[in-house]
Amino acid sequence: QKEVEQNSGPLSVPEGAIASLNCTYSDRGSQSFFWYRQYSGKSPELIMFIYSNGDKEDGRFTAQLNKASQYVSLLIRDSQPSDSATYLCAVNKATGNQFYFGTGTSLTVIP
Amino acid sequence: DTGVSQDPRHKITKRGQNVTFRCDPISEHNRLYWYRQTLGQGPEFLTYFQNEAQLEKSRLLSDRFSAERPKGSFSTLEIQRTEQGDSAMYLCASSQSGERGGNEQFFGPGTRLTVL
């Protein structure tokens, strides 16, 4: 079982729509959860992090964490073509400081 | 520029050669991580330093790989006797430890290694 699982996509949404990206993790004791955006050929860029159950909003981005279901999601409102990228979910487990990344979800926002 | 920097950005080498990469973290960050990423995959953890101490190393990491952070600032990653399977993007990230949270990692631009 993979530590972090994401639907690889591709996910396509029209410009202005809400994009919903999902991630599940296997270690129930995981403490910290991160979303990174990665453009083709570039390194990952941190866009959101969340540590507590519930929602966290930052501009057009909302991260949602449900520890009971071991599920974390990212919502992108008013999607723009510039949001087209691969979105990586990362989890910091309770033991040690190792981070585990999913394989990423490819998002395309269609103008 | 106060971000994470990596050098070189690209490296082409022949199989069997040794290569060394450098990472300079964000200056106030005490944690430094190395990852490897291949096409279509997420970053794969290689090793982690807190200050100069190497605290974790992936069990998947071959003994051809070694990393150092001698003064708790910059770090080097060396790959000995490179193999074609080592071709990947090598990413460095840094973070600042603190209370719960404060563990956000920031990535450098990466070093793309091609082994011929």
Side-chain angles (χ1 to χ4, degrees):
Chain A
Q1 183 184 11
K2 291 183 178 180
E3 300 285 351
V4 179
E5 299 217 43
Q6 295 181 254
N7 186 329
S8 62
L11 173 66
S12 294
V13 300
E15 183 174 356
I18 295 175
S20 177
L21 305 162
N22 304 315
C23 171
T24 58
Y25 58 94
S26 61
D27 185 345
R28 184 169 291 277
S30 296
Q31 295 180 333
S32 310
F33 307 87
F34 306 84
W35 283 99
Y36 286 84
R37 177 175 62 198
Q38 187 171 29
Y39 294 112
S40 181
K42 302 296 186 183
S43 63
E45 173 192 9
L46 179 66
I47 54 173
M48 288 288 291
F49 57 91
I50 186 167
Y51 302 121
S52 304
N53 270 331
D55 295 359
K56 179 181 179 183
E57 187 174 320
D58 183 1
R60 296 188 295 114
F61 299 98
T62 299
Q64 300 175 317
L65 175 60
N66 183 326
K67 289 189 176 181
S69 300
Q70 296 174 235
Y71 175 93
V72 59
S73 66
L74 178 70
L75 300 178
I76 306 174
R77 290 181 299 282
D78 188 24
S79 295
Q80 301 297 309
S82 59
D83 294 327
S84 298
T86 295
Y87 289 80
L88 297 163
C89 172
V91 173
N92 184 199
K93 295 177 69 171
T95 55
N97 209 270
Q98 186 169 156
F99 279 60
Y100 293 88
F101 283 80
T103 55
T105 298
S106 175
L107 171 68
T108 299
V109 179
I110 303 167
Chain B
D1 186 353
T2 57
V4 179
S5 62
Q6 292 186 245
D7 184 71
R9 297 289 301 276
H10 302 273
K11 179 70 176 179
I12 300 173
T13 191
K14 293 182 179 179
R15 187 177 54 187
Q17 298 295 303
N18 299 344
V19 295
T20 299
F21 309 141
R22 176 178 169 127
C23 172
D24 287 87
I26 294 172
S27 59
E28 63 268 27
H29 284 183
N30 61 349
R31 291 179 172 173
L32 187 147
Y33 304 78
W34 286 99
Y35 293 87
R36 175 173 59 192
Q37 187 177 26
T38 54
L39 193 63
Q41 301 297 313
E44 175 191 17
F45 171 81
L46 295 179
T47 191
Y48 149 64
F49 291 85
Q50 179 148 326
N51 300 313
E52 66 276 7
Q54 187 174 19
L55 298 186
E56 287 185 53
K57 186 175 177 180
S58 170
R59 284 172 286 180
L60 301 176
L61 199 60
S62 161
D63 58 6
R64 296 183 297 105
F65 289 71
S66 62
E68 294 182 339
R69 194 184 184 197
K71 297 182 179 179
S73 56
F74 73 92
S75 175
T76 58
L77 176 69
E78 181 183 17
I79 309 174
Q80 296 182 326
R81 306 181 302 281
T82 53
E83 302 173 356
Q84 288 183 326
D86 296 332
S87 296
M89 175 76 87
Y90 289 83
L91 294 164
C92 175
S94 70
S95 70
Q96 176 62 36
S97 64
E99 297 178 357
R100 183 172 178 270
N103 206 17
E104 302 87 49
Q105 295 186 15
F106 297 89
F107 281 86
T111 295
R112 182 166 297 283
L113 173 66
T114 302
V115 182
L116 302 176

